Amino acid sequence: MKIRSVAAAALCMNLMHAYAVPPVAAAGPNANTAGERRIWMAVGERRFSITLADNQAARAFAAHLPLTLDMPDLNGNEKHAKLPKALPTKDSQPGTIRVGDLMLWRVDTLVVFYLTFDSPYLYTRLGRIDEPASLPDVLGRGQARIVFTRE
């Protein structure tokens, strides 16, 4: 009887371990965790966290960091800059662009949107600034030097 209860206990422990291991740990070292999907954007003294999209373009963008870009204003709603290297694309028409969207236009133009508006253009989503409310004030009109980093 004692052998059965030890075997049952061992089986229970194995089952508990199988279901208690967090999915990130179970997925191994190549897992795409939230921490791996977070990058940072600095404008002067202001720092913003960005959650990257789960796609090839966002991973390629993150692989090129750190990156400092002088980004001129366009249309009073976005900053844009040509990237040093083309990224993979998967264009879609978002329709409504939201404040805080980080997008790729064509294969090599990074766009940071600081106002919400409707757009007919095609973009590849790279990510989203987590708390974008102050972006219109921080980015304003004119050129902005923006630093993108992993930490």
Side-chain angles (χ1 to χ4, degrees):
M1 183 156 346
K2 187 174 187 181
I3 293 174
R4 254 192 232 163
S5 62
V6 170
L11 178 61
C12 285
M13 289 301 287
N14 285 336
L15 286 173
M16 284 176 44
H17 178 70
Y19 289 102
V21 173
V24 170
N30 295 325
N32 191 10
T33 65
E36 292 170 347
R37 290 184 51 207
R38 170 111 345 114
I39 62 170
W40 298 90
M41 177 180 95
V43 183
E45 297 298 315
R46 295 294 307 267
R47 195 165 183 240
F48 299 88
S49 64
I50 298 172
T51 300
L52 291 174
D54 186 11
N55 63 36
Q56 199 175 14
R59 287 186 286 279
F61 177 66
H64 295 309
L65 302 182
L67 186 63
T68 300
L69 298 170
D70 289 320
M71 300 182 78
D73 195 74
L74 182 64
N75 301 323
N77 59 23
E78 65 192 73
K79 299 294 188 212
H80 67 96
K82 194 165 191 92
L83 294 170
K85 188 174 178 182
L87 299 179
T89 61
K90 188 170 183 181
D91 287 341
S92 66
Q93 185 181 16
T96 300
I97 302 291
R98 306 244 178 249
V99 60
D101 282 344
L102 181 69
M103 305 276 212
L104 180 67
W105 184 66
R106 297 198 174 167
V107 297
D108 63 355
T109 302
L110 180 68
V111 186
V112 177
F113 292 97
Y114 62 88
L115 290 178
T116 297
F117 65 98
D118 291 329
S119 172
Y121 293 105
L122 298 174
Y123 297 95
T124 298
R125 180 168 299 282
L126 296 177
R128 181 130 177 80
I129 297 166
D130 296 323
E131 295 181 24
S134 63
L135 281 179
D137 294 329
V138 172
L139 293 178
R141 295 191 183 262
Q143 185 165 298
R145 176 164 283 182
I146 303 178
V147 180
F148 296 92
T149 60
R150 287 180 173 250
E151 298 177 2

mmCIF file with all atom_site columns, all heavy atoms in Angstrom, residues 4-23:
data_model
loop_
_atom_site.group_PDB
_atom_site.id
_atom_site.type_symbol
_atom_site.label_atom_id
_atom_site.label_alt_id
_atom_site.label_comp_id
_atom_site.label_asym_id
_atom_site.label_entity_id
_atom_site.label_seq_id
_atom_site.pdbx_PDB_ins_code
_atom_site.Cartn_x
_atom_site.Cartn_y
_atom_site.Cartn_z
_atom_site.occupancy
_atom_site.B_iso_or_equiv
_atom_site.pdbx_formal_charge
_atom_site.auth_seq_id
_atom_site.auth_comp_id
_atom_site.auth_asym_id
_atom_site.auth_atom_id
_atom_site.pdbx_PDB_model_num
ATOM 1   N N   . ARG A 1 4  ? 2.168  2.111  -3.512  1.00 0.00 ? 4  ARG A N   1
ATOM 2   C CA  . ARG A 1 4  ? 1.166  2.753  -4.352  1.00 0.00 ? 4  ARG A CA  1
ATOM 3   C C   . ARG A 1 4  ? 1.022  4.240  -4.036  1.00 0.00 ? 4  ARG A C   1
ATOM 4   O O   . ARG A 1 4  ? 0.908  5.058  -4.932  1.00 0.00 ? 4  ARG A O   1
ATOM 5   C CB  . ARG A 1 4  ? -0.191 2.069  -4.150  1.00 0.00 ? 4  ARG A CB  1
ATOM 6   C CG  . ARG A 1 4  ? -0.545 1.227  -5.304  1.00 0.00 ? 4  ARG A CG  1
ATOM 7   C CD  . ARG A 1 4  ? -1.974 0.807  -5.211  1.00 0.00 ? 4  ARG A CD  1
ATOM 8   N NE  . ARG A 1 4  ? -1.975 -0.641 -5.350  1.00 0.00 ? 4  ARG A NE  1
ATOM 9   C CZ  . ARG A 1 4  ? -2.949 -1.424 -5.031  1.00 0.00 ? 4  ARG A CZ  1
ATOM 10  N NH1 . ARG A 1 4  ? -4.024 -0.921 -4.481  1.00 0.00 ? 4  ARG A NH1 1
ATOM 11  N NH2 . ARG A 1 4  ? -2.874 -2.693 -5.226  1.00 0.00 ? 4  ARG A NH2 1
ATOM 12  N N   . SER A 1 5  ? 1.022  4.600  -2.779  1.00 0.00 ? 5  SER A N   1
ATOM 13  C CA  . SER A 1 5  ? 0.856  6.009  -2.417  1.00 0.00 ? 5  SER A CA  1
ATOM 14  C C   . SER A 1 5  ? 2.087  6.825  -2.804  1.00 0.00 ? 5  SER A C   1
ATOM 15  O O   . SER A 1 5  ? 1.972  7.979  -3.196  1.00 0.00 ? 5  SER A O   1
ATOM 16  C CB  . SER A 1 5  ? 0.539  6.165  -0.930  1.00 0.00 ? 5  SER A CB  1
ATOM 17  O OG  . SER A 1 5  ? 1.581  5.678  -0.137  1.00 0.00 ? 5  SER A OG  1
ATOM 18  N N   . VAL A 1 6  ? 3.280  6.240  -2.736  1.00 0.00 ? 6  VAL A N   1
ATOM 19  C CA  . VAL A 1 6  ? 4.495  6.939  -3.176  1.00 0.00 ? 6  VAL A CA  1
ATOM 20  C C   . VAL A 1 6  ? 4.438  7.135  -4.680  1.00 0.00 ? 6  VAL A C   1
ATOM 21  O O   . VAL A 1 6  ? 4.731  8.213  -5.206  1.00 0.00 ? 6  VAL A O   1
ATOM 22  C CB  . VAL A 1 6  ? 5.771  6.166  -2.749  1.00 0.00 ? 6  VAL A CB  1
ATOM 23  C CG1 . VAL A 1 6  ? 6.999  6.749  -3.412  1.00 0.00 ? 6  VAL A CG1 1
ATOM 24  C CG2 . VAL A 1 6  ? 5.923  6.170  -1.249  1.00 0.00 ? 6  VAL A CG2 1
ATOM 25  N N   . ALA A 1 7  ? 4.030  6.112  -5.414  1.00 0.00 ? 7  ALA A N   1
ATOM 26  C CA  . ALA A 1 7  ? 3.923  6.216  -6.870  1.00 0.00 ? 7  ALA A CA  1
ATOM 27  C C   . ALA A 1 7  ? 2.862  7.244  -7.255  1.00 0.00 ? 7  ALA A C   1
ATOM 28  O O   . ALA A 1 7  ? 3.057  8.041  -8.174  1.00 0.00 ? 7  ALA A O   1
ATOM 29  C CB  . ALA A 1 7  ? 3.594  4.846  -7.474  1.00 0.00 ? 7  ALA A CB  1
ATOM 30  N N   . ALA A 1 8  ? 1.740  7.225  -6.547  1.00 0.00 ? 8  ALA A N   1
ATOM 31  C CA  . ALA A 1 8  ? 0.681  8.194  -6.823  1.00 0.00 ? 8  ALA A CA  1
ATOM 32  C C   . ALA A 1 8  ? 1.155  9.607  -6.534  1.00 0.00 ? 8  ALA A C   1
ATOM 33  O O   . ALA A 1 8  ? 0.871  10.537 -7.288  1.00 0.00 ? 8  ALA A O   1
ATOM 34  C CB  . ALA A 1 8  ? -0.563 7.863  -5.999  1.00 0.00 ? 8  ALA A CB  1
ATOM 35  N N   . ALA A 1 9  ? 1.888  9.771  -5.434  1.00 0.00 ? 9  ALA A N   1
ATOM 36  C CA  . ALA A 1 9  ? 2.411  11.090 -5.082  1.00 0.00 ? 9  ALA A CA  1
ATOM 37  C C   . ALA A 1 9  ? 3.397  11.574 -6.140  1.00 0.00 ? 9  ALA A C   1
ATOM 38  O O   . ALA A 1 9  ? 3.382  12.744 -6.534  1.00 0.00 ? 9  ALA A O   1
ATOM 39  C CB  . ALA A 1 9  ? 3.073  11.054 -3.714  1.00 0.00 ? 9  ALA A CB  1
ATOM 40  N N   . ALA A 1 10 ? 4.258  10.686 -6.625  1.00 0.00 ? 10 ALA A N   1
ATOM 41  C CA  . ALA A 1 10 ? 5.229  11.055 -7.661  1.00 0.00 ? 10 ALA A CA  1
ATOM 42  C C   . ALA A 1 10 ? 4.510  11.449 -8.945  1.00 0.00 ? 10 ALA A C   1
ATOM 43  O O   . ALA A 1 10 ? 4.865  12.434 -9.597  1.00 0.00 ? 10 ALA A O   1
ATOM 44  C CB  . ALA A 1 10 ? 6.192  9.896  -7.915  1.00 0.00 ? 10 ALA A CB  1
ATOM 45  N N   . LEU A 1 11 ? 3.476  10.698 -9.307  1.00 0.00 ? 11 LEU A N   1
ATOM 46  C CA  . LEU A 1 11 ? 2.707  11.020 -10.498 1.00 0.00 ? 11 LEU A CA  1
ATOM 47  C C   . LEU A 1 11 ? 2.036  12.386 -10.345 1.00 0.00 ? 11 LEU A C   1
ATOM 48  O O   . LEU A 1 11 ? 2.058  13.210 -11.267 1.00 0.00 ? 11 LEU A O   1
ATOM 49  C CB  . LEU A 1 11 ? 1.652  9.935  -10.757 1.00 0.00 ? 11 LEU A CB  1
ATOM 50  C CG  . LEU A 1 11 ? 0.732  10.180 -11.955 1.00 0.00 ? 11 LEU A CG  1
ATOM 51  C CD1 . LEU A 1 11 ? 1.537  10.259 -13.241 1.00 0.00 ? 11 LEU A CD1 1
ATOM 52  C CD2 . LEU A 1 11 ? -0.317 9.095  -12.045 1.00 0.00 ? 11 LEU A CD2 1
ATOM 53  N N   . CYS A 1 12 ? 1.452  12.637 -9.183  1.00 0.00 ? 12 CYS A N   1
ATOM 54  C CA  . CYS A 1 12 ? 0.819  13.941 -8.922  1.00 0.00 ? 12 CYS A CA  1
ATOM 55  C C   . CYS A 1 12 ? 1.829  15.066 -9.024  1.00 0.00 ? 12 CYS A C   1
ATOM 56  O O   . CYS A 1 12 ? 1.540  16.118 -9.601  1.00 0.00 ? 12 CYS A O   1
ATOM 57  C CB  . CYS A 1 12 ? 0.160  13.945 -7.546  1.00 0.00 ? 12 CYS A CB  1
ATOM 58  S SG  . CYS A 1 12 ? -1.372 13.000 -7.513  1.00 0.00 ? 12 CYS A SG  1
ATOM 59  N N   . MET A 1 13 ? 3.017  14.871 -8.479  1.00 0.00 ? 13 MET A N   1
ATOM 60  C CA  . MET A 1 13 ? 4.052  15.907 -8.522  1.00 0.00 ? 13 MET A CA  1
ATOM 61  C C   . MET A 1 13 ? 4.456  16.190 -9.972  1.00 0.00 ? 13 MET A C   1
ATOM 62  O O   . MET A 1 13 ? 4.632  17.351 -10.367 1.00 0.00 ? 13 MET A O   1
ATOM 63  C CB  . MET A 1 13 ? 5.287  15.504 -7.702  1.00 0.00 ? 13 MET A CB  1
ATOM 64  C CG  . MET A 1 13 ? 5.033  15.513 -6.205  1.00 0.00 ? 13 MET A CG  1
ATOM 65  S SD  . MET A 1 13 ? 4.521  17.132 -5.599  1.00 0.00 ? 13 MET A SD  1
ATOM 66  C CE  . MET A 1 13 ? 6.049  17.995 -5.696  1.00 0.00 ? 13 MET A CE  1
ATOM 67  N N   . ASN A 1 14 ? 4.595  15.139 -10.774 1.00 0.00 ? 14 ASN A N   1
ATOM 68  C CA  . ASN A 1 14 ? 4.960  15.329 -12.182 1.00 0.00 ? 14 ASN A CA  1
ATOM 69  C C   . ASN A 1 14 ? 3.865  16.083 -12.927 1.00 0.00 ? 14 ASN A C   1
ATOM 70  O O   . ASN A 1 14 ? 4.142  16.961 -13.738 1.00 0.00 ? 14 ASN A O   1
ATOM 71  C CB  . ASN A 1 14 ? 5.233  13.985 -12.863 1.00 0.00 ? 14 ASN A CB  1
ATOM 72  C CG  . ASN A 1 14 ? 6.567  13.407 -12.462 1.00 0.00 ? 14 ASN A CG  1
ATOM 73  O OD1 . ASN A 1 14 ? 7.465  14.130 -12.050 1.00 0.00 ? 14 ASN A OD1 1
ATOM 74  N ND2 . ASN A 1 14 ? 6.705  12.099 -12.581 1.00 0.00 ? 14 ASN A ND2 1
ATOM 75  N N   . LEU A 1 15 ? 2.614  15.733 -12.667 1.00 0.00 ? 15 LEU A N   1
ATOM 76  C CA  . LEU A 1 15 ? 1.510  16.441 -13.310 1.00 0.00 ? 15 LEU A CA  1
ATOM 77  C C   . LEU A 1 15 ? 1.456  17.898 -12.873 1.00 0.00 ? 15 LEU A C   1
ATOM 78  O O   . LEU A 1 15 ? 1.249  18.796 -13.691 1.00 0.00 ? 15 LEU A O   1
ATOM 79  C CB  . LEU A 1 15 ? 0.178  15.746 -12.999 1.00 0.00 ? 15 LEU A CB  1
ATOM 80  C CG  . LEU A 1 15 ? -0.059 14.429 -13.731 1.00 0.00 ? 15 LEU A CG  1
ATOM 81  C CD1 . LEU A 1 15 ? -1.315 13.756 -13.205 1.00 0.00 ? 15 LEU A CD1 1
ATOM 82  C CD2 . LEU A 1 15 ? -0.155 14.658 -15.227 1.00 0.00 ? 15 LEU A CD2 1
ATOM 83  N N   . MET A 1 16 ? 1.634  18.138 -11.588 1.00 0.00 ? 16 MET A N   1
ATOM 84  C CA  . MET A 1 16 ? 1.620  19.517 -11.091 1.00 0.00 ? 16 MET A CA  1
ATOM 85  C C   . MET A 1 16 ? 2.743  20.319 -11.733 1.00 0.00 ? 16 MET A C   1
ATOM 86  O O   . MET A 1 16 ? 2.551  21.464 -12.145 1.00 0.00 ? 16 MET A O   1
ATOM 87  C CB  . MET A 1 16 ? 1.760  19.544 -9.562  1.00 0.00 ? 16 MET A CB  1
ATOM 88  C CG  . MET A 1 16 ? 0.483  19.166 -8.857  1.00 0.00 ? 16 MET A CG  1
ATOM 89  S SD  . MET A 1 16 ? 0.643  19.071 -7.056  1.00 0.00 ? 16 MET A SD  1
ATOM 90  C CE  . MET A 1 16 ? 1.560  20.500 -6.641  1.00 0.00 ? 16 MET A CE  1
ATOM 91  N N   . HIS A 1 17 ? 3.923  19.732 -11.839 1.00 0.00 ? 17 HIS A N   1
ATOM 92  C CA  . HIS A 1 17 ? 5.054  20.429 -12.445 1.00 0.00 ? 17 HIS A CA  1
ATOM 93  C C   . HIS A 1 17 ? 4.768  20.743 -13.913 1.00 0.00 ? 17 HIS A C   1
ATOM 94  O O   . HIS A 1 17 ? 5.042  21.837 -14.400 1.00 0.00 ? 17 HIS A O   1
ATOM 95  C CB  . HIS A 1 17 ? 6.331  19.601 -12.311 1.00 0.00 ? 17 HIS A CB  1
ATOM 96  C CG  . HIS A 1 17 ? 7.508  20.256 -12.961 1.00 0.00 ? 17 HIS A CG  1
ATOM 97  N ND1 . HIS A 1 17 ? 8.093  21.389 -12.448 1.00 0.00 ? 17 HIS A ND1 1
ATOM 98  C CD2 . HIS A 1 17 ? 8.185  19.962 -14.098 1.00 0.00 ? 17 HIS A CD2 1
ATOM 99  C CE1 . HIS A 1 17 ? 9.090  21.757 -13.227 1.00 0.00 ? 17 HIS A CE1 1
ATOM 100 N NE2 . HIS A 1 17 ? 9.157  20.906 -14.241 1.00 0.00 ? 17 HIS A NE2 1
ATOM 101 N N   . ALA A 1 18 ? 4.174  19.777 -14.619 1.00 0.00 ? 18 ALA A N   1
ATOM 102 C CA  . ALA A 1 18 ? 3.891  19.975 -16.044 1.00 0.00 ? 18 ALA A CA  1
ATOM 103 C C   . ALA A 1 18 ? 2.951  21.151 -16.263 1.00 0.00 ? 18 ALA A C   1
ATOM 104 O O   . ALA A 1 18 ? 3.085  21.906 -17.220 1.00 0.00 ? 18 ALA A O   1
ATOM 105 C CB  . ALA A 1 18 ? 3.304  18.703 -16.647 1.00 0.00 ? 18 ALA A CB  1
ATOM 106 N N   . TYR A 1 19 ? 1.988  21.320 -15.363 1.00 0.00 ? 19 TYR A N   1
ATOM 107 C CA  . TYR A 1 19 ? 1.018  22.391 -15.539 1.00 0.00 ? 19 TYR A CA  1
ATOM 108 C C   . TYR A 1 19 ? 1.396  23.667 -14.797 1.00 0.00 ? 19 TYR A C   1
ATOM 109 O O   . TYR A 1 19 ? 0.832  24.718 -15.048 1.00 0.00 ? 19 TYR A O   1
ATOM 110 C CB  . TYR A 1 19 ? -0.369 21.930 -15.100 1.00 0.00 ? 19 TYR A CB  1
ATOM 111 C CG  . TYR A 1 19 ? -0.940 20.926 -16.069 1.00 0.00 ? 19 TYR A CG  1
ATOM 112 C CD1 . TYR A 1 19 ? -0.921 19.576 -15.770 1.00 0.00 ? 19 TYR A CD1 1
ATOM 113 C CD2 . TYR A 1 19 ? -1.430 21.340 -17.287 1.00 0.00 ? 19 TYR A CD2 1
ATOM 114 C CE1 . TYR A 1 19 ? -1.417 18.651 -16.675 1.00 0.00 ? 19 TYR A CE1 1
ATOM 115 C CE2 . TYR A 1 19 ? -1.920 20.423 -18.203 1.00 0.00 ? 19 TYR A CE2 1
ATOM 116 C CZ  . TYR A 1 19 ? -1.913 19.076 -17.888 1.00 0.00 ? 19 TYR A CZ  1
ATOM 117 O OH  . TYR A 1 19 ? -2.392 18.174 -18.783 1.00 0.00 ? 19 TYR A OH  1
ATOM 118 N N   . ALA A 1 20 ? 2.334  23.594 -13.895 1.00 0.00 ? 20 ALA A N   1
ATOM 119 C CA  . ALA A 1 20 ? 2.717  24.767 -13.105 1.00 0.00 ? 20 ALA A CA  1
ATOM 120 C C   . ALA A 1 20 ? 3.865  25.544 -13.722 1.00 0.00 ? 20 ALA A C   1
ATOM 121 O O   . ALA A 1 20 ? 4.111  26.670 -13.360 1.00 0.00 ? 20 ALA A O   1
ATOM 122 C CB  . ALA A 1 20 ? 3.096  24.353 -11.679 1.00 0.00 ? 20 ALA A CB  1
ATOM 123 N N   . VAL A 1 21 ? 4.595  24.952 -14.669 1.00 0.00 ? 21 VAL A N   1
ATOM 124 C CA  . VAL A 1 21 ? 5.715  25.644 -15.293 1.00 0.00 ? 21 VAL A CA  1
ATOM 125 C C   . VAL A 1 21 ? 5.152  26.769 -16.160 1.00 0.00 ? 21 VAL A C   1
ATOM 126 O O   . VAL A 1 21 ? 4.279  26.543 -16.996 1.00 0.00 ? 21 VAL A O   1
ATOM 127 C CB  . VAL A 1 21 ? 6.544  24.663 -16.159 1.00 0.00 ? 21 VAL A CB  1
ATOM 128 C CG1 . VAL A 1 21 ? 7.608  25.404 -16.938 1.00 0.00 ? 21 VAL A CG1 1
ATOM 129 C CG2 . VAL A 1 21 ? 7.164  23.601 -15.280 1.00 0.00 ? 21 VAL A CG2 1
ATOM 130 N N   . PRO A 1 22 ? 5.592  27.993 -15.952 1.00 0.00 ? 22 PRO A N   1
ATOM 131 C CA  . PRO A 1 22 ? 5.075  29.102 -16.755 1.00 0.00 ? 22 PRO A CA  1
ATOM 132 C C   . PRO A 1 22 ? 5.344  28.856 -18.235 1.00 0.00 ? 22 PRO A C   1
ATOM 133 O O   . PRO A 1 22 ? 6.371  28.285 -18.594 1.00 0.00 ? 22 PRO A O   1
ATOM 134 C CB  . PRO A 1 22 ? 5.860  30.320 -16.256 1.00 0.00 ? 22 PRO A CB  1
ATOM 135 C CG  . PRO A 1 22 ? 6.465  29.903 -14.963 1.00 0.00 ? 22 PRO A CG  1
ATOM 136 C CD  . PRO A 1 22 ? 6.574  28.418 -14.989 1.00 0.00 ? 22 PRO A CD  1
ATOM 137 N N   . PRO A 1 23 ? 4.443  29.286 -19.131 1.00 0.00 ? 23 PRO A N   1
ATOM 138 C CA  . PRO A 1 23 ? 4.613  29.064 -20.555 1.00 0.00 ? 23 PRO A CA  1
ATOM 139 C C   . PRO A 1 23 ? 5.926  29.605 -21.092 1.00 0.00 ? 23 PRO A C   1
ATOM 140 O O   . PRO A 1 23 ? 6.518  29.025 -21.973 1.00 0.00 ? 23 PRO A O   1
ATOM 141 C CB  . PRO A 1 23 ? 3.434  29.803 -21.192 1.00 0.00 ? 23 PRO A CB  1
ATOM 142 C CG  . PRO A 1 23 ? 2.451  29.986 -20.101 1.00 0.00 ? 23 PRO A CG  1
ATOM 143 C CD  . PRO A 1 23 ? 3.214  29.967 -18.809 1.00 0.00 ? 23 PRO A CD  1
#
